[in-house]
Short mmCIF file of all heavy atoms in Angstrom, two decimals:
data_model
loop_
_atom_site.label_atom_id
_atom_site.label_comp_id
_atom_site.label_asym_id
_atom_site.label_seq_id
_atom_site.Cartn_x
_atom_site.Cartn_y
_atom_site.Cartn_z
N HIS A 1 -18.20 120.46 120.21
CA HIS A 1 -19.63 120.36 119.92
C HIS A 1 -20.41 121.04 121.04
O HIS A 1 -20.23 120.73 122.20
CB HIS A 1 -20.03 118.90 119.75
CG HIS A 1 -19.50 118.28 118.49
ND1 HIS A 1 -20.26 118.10 117.35
CD2 HIS A 1 -18.26 117.85 118.19
CE1 HIS A 1 -19.51 117.57 116.42
NE2 HIS A 1 -18.28 117.43 116.89
N THR A 2 -21.24 121.99 120.66
CA THR A 2 -21.96 122.81 121.64
C THR A 2 -23.38 122.32 121.90
O THR A 2 -24.09 122.90 122.68
CB THR A 2 -22.02 124.28 121.17
OG1 THR A 2 -22.69 124.33 119.89
CG2 THR A 2 -20.64 124.85 121.01
N SER A 3 -23.76 121.24 121.26
CA SER A 3 -25.12 120.69 121.48
C SER A 3 -25.01 119.16 121.49
O SER A 3 -24.38 118.56 120.62
CB SER A 3 -26.08 121.15 120.38
OG SER A 3 -27.33 120.48 120.50
N ALA A 4 -25.62 118.56 122.50
CA ALA A 4 -25.62 117.09 122.59
C ALA A 4 -26.59 116.48 121.60
O ALA A 4 -26.47 115.30 121.27
CB ALA A 4 -25.99 116.66 124.04
N SER A 5 -27.57 117.26 121.16
CA SER A 5 -28.63 116.68 120.29
C SER A 5 -28.47 117.05 118.83
O SER A 5 -28.93 116.33 117.95
CB SER A 5 -29.99 117.13 120.78
OG SER A 5 -30.06 118.53 120.81
N THR A 6 -27.82 118.21 118.56
CA THR A 6 -27.67 118.67 117.15
C THR A 6 -26.24 118.55 116.73
O THR A 6 -25.38 119.25 117.24
CB THR A 6 -28.15 120.13 117.03
OG1 THR A 6 -29.47 120.23 117.56
CG2 THR A 6 -28.17 120.57 115.57
N GLN A 7 -25.98 117.66 115.73
CA GLN A 7 -24.61 117.36 115.32
C GLN A 7 -23.93 118.57 114.68
O GLN A 7 -22.77 118.78 114.80
CB GLN A 7 -24.61 116.18 114.39
CG GLN A 7 -23.21 115.70 114.03
CD GLN A 7 -23.26 114.43 113.19
OE1 GLN A 7 -24.30 114.02 112.75
NE2 GLN A 7 -22.14 113.82 113.00
N GLY A 8 -24.71 119.39 113.98
CA GLY A 8 -24.14 120.51 113.20
C GLY A 8 -23.68 121.68 114.02
O GLY A 8 -23.03 122.56 113.49
N GLN A 9 -24.06 121.74 115.31
CA GLN A 9 -23.69 122.90 116.14
C GLN A 9 -22.29 122.69 116.72
O GLN A 9 -22.11 121.95 117.68
CB GLN A 9 -24.72 123.14 117.25
CG GLN A 9 -26.02 123.66 116.71
CD GLN A 9 -26.93 124.18 117.84
OE1 GLN A 9 -26.50 124.41 118.94
NE2 GLN A 9 -28.20 124.41 117.49
N ILE A 10 -21.29 123.34 116.09
CA ILE A 10 -19.91 123.18 116.51
C ILE A 10 -19.29 124.54 116.75
O ILE A 10 -19.82 125.57 116.33
CB ILE A 10 -19.09 122.42 115.45
CG1 ILE A 10 -19.14 123.13 114.10
CG2 ILE A 10 -19.58 120.98 115.31
CD1 ILE A 10 -18.24 122.51 113.04
N TYR A 11 -18.16 124.50 117.45
CA TYR A 11 -17.38 125.72 117.74
C TYR A 11 -15.91 125.42 117.52
O TYR A 11 -15.38 124.44 118.01
CB TYR A 11 -17.65 126.10 119.20
CG TYR A 11 -16.71 127.17 119.74
CD1 TYR A 11 -16.72 128.45 119.23
CD2 TYR A 11 -15.80 126.89 120.77
CE1 TYR A 11 -15.86 129.44 119.72
CE2 TYR A 11 -14.93 127.86 121.27
CZ TYR A 11 -14.98 129.12 120.74
OH TYR A 11 -14.13 130.07 121.24
N ILE A 12 -15.26 126.26 116.70
CA ILE A 12 -13.86 126.07 116.38
C ILE A 12 -13.11 127.31 116.91
O ILE A 12 -13.18 128.38 116.30
CB ILE A 12 -13.61 125.88 114.89
CG1 ILE A 12 -14.47 124.71 114.37
CG2 ILE A 12 -12.14 125.62 114.59
CD1 ILE A 12 -14.33 124.46 112.85
N PRO A 13 -12.43 127.20 118.05
CA PRO A 13 -11.88 128.37 118.73
C PRO A 13 -10.98 129.22 117.80
O PRO A 13 -11.11 130.42 117.78
CB PRO A 13 -11.10 127.78 119.90
CG PRO A 13 -11.77 126.49 120.19
CD PRO A 13 -12.24 125.96 118.85
N VAL A 14 -10.03 128.62 117.11
CA VAL A 14 -9.06 129.41 116.31
C VAL A 14 -9.78 130.20 115.22
O VAL A 14 -9.46 131.37 114.96
CB VAL A 14 -7.98 128.50 115.73
CG1 VAL A 14 -8.52 127.51 114.70
CG2 VAL A 14 -6.88 129.36 115.10
N ILE A 15 -10.81 129.61 114.57
CA ILE A 15 -11.58 130.33 113.56
C ILE A 15 -12.36 131.49 114.21
O ILE A 15 -12.44 132.59 113.65
CB ILE A 15 -12.52 129.38 112.82
CG1 ILE A 15 -11.74 128.28 112.10
CG2 ILE A 15 -13.40 130.13 111.83
CD1 ILE A 15 -10.82 128.79 111.00
N ASN A 16 -12.93 131.24 115.36
CA ASN A 16 -13.71 132.25 116.06
C ASN A 16 -12.87 133.50 116.38
O ASN A 16 -13.24 134.62 116.10
CB ASN A 16 -14.29 131.67 117.34
CG ASN A 16 -15.25 132.63 118.05
OD1 ASN A 16 -16.30 132.97 117.53
ND2 ASN A 16 -14.87 133.05 119.24
N TRP A 17 -11.67 133.27 116.94
CA TRP A 17 -10.85 134.42 117.35
C TRP A 17 -10.24 135.13 116.13
O TRP A 17 -10.08 136.37 116.16
CB TRP A 17 -9.75 133.95 118.30
CG TRP A 17 -10.30 133.28 119.53
CD1 TRP A 17 -9.95 132.06 120.03
CD2 TRP A 17 -11.34 133.77 120.39
NE1 TRP A 17 -10.70 131.77 121.13
CE2 TRP A 17 -11.54 132.77 121.40
CE3 TRP A 17 -12.12 134.92 120.42
CZ2 TRP A 17 -12.52 132.93 122.41
CZ3 TRP A 17 -13.07 135.07 121.44
CH2 TRP A 17 -13.26 134.08 122.38
N LEU A 18 -9.90 134.38 115.08
CA LEU A 18 -9.42 135.03 113.86
C LEU A 18 -10.48 135.88 113.23
O LEU A 18 -10.24 137.02 112.80
CB LEU A 18 -8.93 133.97 112.87
CG LEU A 18 -7.57 133.31 113.17
CD1 LEU A 18 -7.31 132.17 112.18
CD2 LEU A 18 -6.46 134.32 113.11
N LEU A 19 -11.73 135.37 113.18
CA LEU A 19 -12.82 136.16 112.62
C LEU A 19 -13.09 137.40 113.47
O LEU A 19 -13.30 138.47 112.94
CB LEU A 19 -14.11 135.30 112.57
CG LEU A 19 -14.23 134.25 111.46
CD1 LEU A 19 -15.55 133.48 111.58
CD2 LEU A 19 -14.13 134.91 110.07
N MET A 20 -13.05 137.25 114.79
CA MET A 20 -13.32 138.39 115.68
C MET A 20 -12.26 139.48 115.44
O MET A 20 -12.61 140.68 115.29
CB MET A 20 -13.29 137.99 117.14
CG MET A 20 -13.70 139.15 118.08
SD MET A 20 -13.66 138.72 119.83
CE MET A 20 -11.92 138.92 120.16
N ALA A 21 -10.99 139.09 115.37
CA ALA A 21 -9.93 140.07 115.15
C ALA A 21 -10.13 140.78 113.79
O ALA A 21 -9.97 142.02 113.69
CB ALA A 21 -8.57 139.37 115.20
N ALA A 22 -10.48 140.02 112.77
CA ALA A 22 -10.64 140.59 111.43
C ALA A 22 -11.85 141.53 111.39
O ALA A 22 -11.79 142.60 110.78
CB ALA A 22 -10.79 139.48 110.39
N VAL A 23 -12.94 141.13 112.00
CA VAL A 23 -14.18 141.95 112.00
C VAL A 23 -13.96 143.26 112.72
O VAL A 23 -14.33 144.33 112.23
CB VAL A 23 -15.35 141.16 112.63
CG1 VAL A 23 -16.54 142.07 112.88
CG2 VAL A 23 -15.76 139.98 111.73
N ILE A 24 -13.33 143.21 113.90
CA ILE A 24 -13.10 144.47 114.63
C ILE A 24 -12.10 145.34 113.90
O ILE A 24 -12.27 146.58 113.83
CB ILE A 24 -12.59 144.12 116.04
CG1 ILE A 24 -13.71 143.45 116.85
CG2 ILE A 24 -12.13 145.39 116.78
CD1 ILE A 24 -13.32 142.96 118.19
N LEU A 25 -11.09 144.73 113.26
CA LEU A 25 -10.15 145.48 112.44
C LEU A 25 -10.88 146.18 111.32
O LEU A 25 -10.59 147.38 111.00
CB LEU A 25 -9.07 144.55 111.91
CG LEU A 25 -8.00 145.22 111.02
CD1 LEU A 25 -7.18 146.22 111.83
CD2 LEU A 25 -7.08 144.15 110.42
N LEU A 26 -11.79 145.50 110.68
CA LEU A 26 -12.58 146.10 109.56
C LEU A 26 -13.39 147.29 110.04
O LEU A 26 -13.41 148.34 109.38
CB LEU A 26 -13.51 145.06 108.97
CG LEU A 26 -12.92 144.07 107.94
CD1 LEU A 26 -13.88 142.94 107.68
CD2 LEU A 26 -12.59 144.81 106.64
N VAL A 27 -14.06 147.15 111.18
CA VAL A 27 -14.87 148.26 111.71
C VAL A 27 -14.00 149.46 112.02
O VAL A 27 -14.37 150.60 111.66
CB VAL A 27 -15.65 147.77 112.98
CG1 VAL A 27 -16.30 148.95 113.67
CG2 VAL A 27 -16.70 146.74 112.63
N LEU A 28 -12.84 149.25 112.64
CA LEU A 28 -11.97 150.37 113.00
C LEU A 28 -11.31 150.97 111.77
O LEU A 28 -11.03 152.18 111.74
CB LEU A 28 -10.92 149.88 114.01
CG LEU A 28 -11.45 149.41 115.34
CD1 LEU A 28 -10.32 148.92 116.24
CD2 LEU A 28 -12.25 150.49 116.03
N MET A 29 -11.04 150.16 110.74
CA MET A 29 -10.42 150.67 109.50
C MET A 29 -11.38 151.51 108.70
O MET A 29 -11.04 152.61 108.23
CB MET A 29 -9.88 149.51 108.65
CG MET A 29 -8.57 148.93 109.05
SD MET A 29 -8.17 147.45 108.09
CE MET A 29 -8.29 148.10 106.40
N PHE A 30 -12.60 150.99 108.49
CA PHE A 30 -13.52 151.64 107.54
C PHE A 30 -14.47 152.63 108.23
O PHE A 30 -15.08 153.44 107.53
CB PHE A 30 -14.32 150.58 106.79
CG PHE A 30 -13.48 149.81 105.80
CD1 PHE A 30 -12.86 148.62 106.14
CD2 PHE A 30 -13.32 150.29 104.49
CE1 PHE A 30 -12.08 147.91 105.22
CE2 PHE A 30 -12.56 149.59 103.58
CZ PHE A 30 -11.93 148.41 103.93
N GLN A 31 -14.64 152.52 109.57
CA GLN A 31 -15.37 153.53 110.34
C GLN A 31 -16.88 153.56 110.16
O GLN A 31 -17.60 153.84 111.09
CB GLN A 31 -14.79 154.93 110.08
CG GLN A 31 -13.32 155.07 110.42
CD GLN A 31 -13.04 155.17 111.91
OE1 GLN A 31 -13.66 155.95 112.61
NE2 GLN A 31 -12.11 154.37 112.40
N ASN A 32 -17.38 153.34 108.93
CA ASN A 32 -18.83 153.40 108.71
C ASN A 32 -19.24 152.38 107.66
O ASN A 32 -18.40 151.84 106.93
CB ASN A 32 -19.28 154.80 108.29
CG ASN A 32 -18.60 155.28 107.04
OD1 ASN A 32 -18.85 154.78 105.96
ND2 ASN A 32 -17.71 156.26 107.17
N SER A 33 -20.56 152.10 107.65
CA SER A 33 -21.05 151.03 106.77
C SER A 33 -20.92 151.37 105.29
O SER A 33 -20.76 150.50 104.45
CB SER A 33 -22.51 150.68 107.09
OG SER A 33 -23.34 151.84 106.97
N SER A 34 -20.99 152.66 104.93
CA SER A 34 -20.85 153.05 103.52
C SER A 34 -19.45 152.71 103.01
O SER A 34 -19.30 152.23 101.88
CB SER A 34 -21.11 154.56 103.34
OG SER A 34 -22.50 154.81 103.41
N SER A 35 -18.45 152.98 103.81
CA SER A 35 -17.08 152.65 103.40
C SER A 35 -16.91 151.11 103.29
O SER A 35 -16.22 150.60 102.42
CB SER A 35 -16.08 153.22 104.40
OG SER A 35 -16.13 154.64 104.43
N LEU A 36 -17.51 150.41 104.25
CA LEU A 36 -17.43 148.93 104.22
C LEU A 36 -18.13 148.35 103.01
O LEU A 36 -17.76 147.25 102.54
CB LEU A 36 -18.07 148.36 105.51
CG LEU A 36 -17.11 148.01 106.63
CD1 LEU A 36 -17.90 147.64 107.87
CD2 LEU A 36 -16.21 146.87 106.26
#
C-alpha cells in the first residue's frame, strides 16, 4: 500500500515488472504508433 490514507492506492511488484517488460517489448517490436 503506497498511501496511508487512500486504501485503493496499491503496488504489486510482479505485475509492475511484467507490464514493464511487455510494454518495452511492444515498443521495440512495433517501432511506431501506427504499427501498434
Side-chain angles (χ1 to χ4, degrees):
H1 289 259
T2 58
S3 172
S5 57
T6 306
Q7 187 174 9
Q9 289 193 13
I10 58 175
Y11 168 66
I12 305 178
V14 66
I15 298 296
N16 186 64
W17 303 127
L18 284 174
L19 284 179
M20 185 182 82
V23 168
I24 293 174
L25 179 65
L26 279 168
V27 170
L28 296 178
M29 279 174 54
F30 288 92
Q31 300 284 310
N32 58 69
S33 58
S34 284
S35 298
L36 263 172

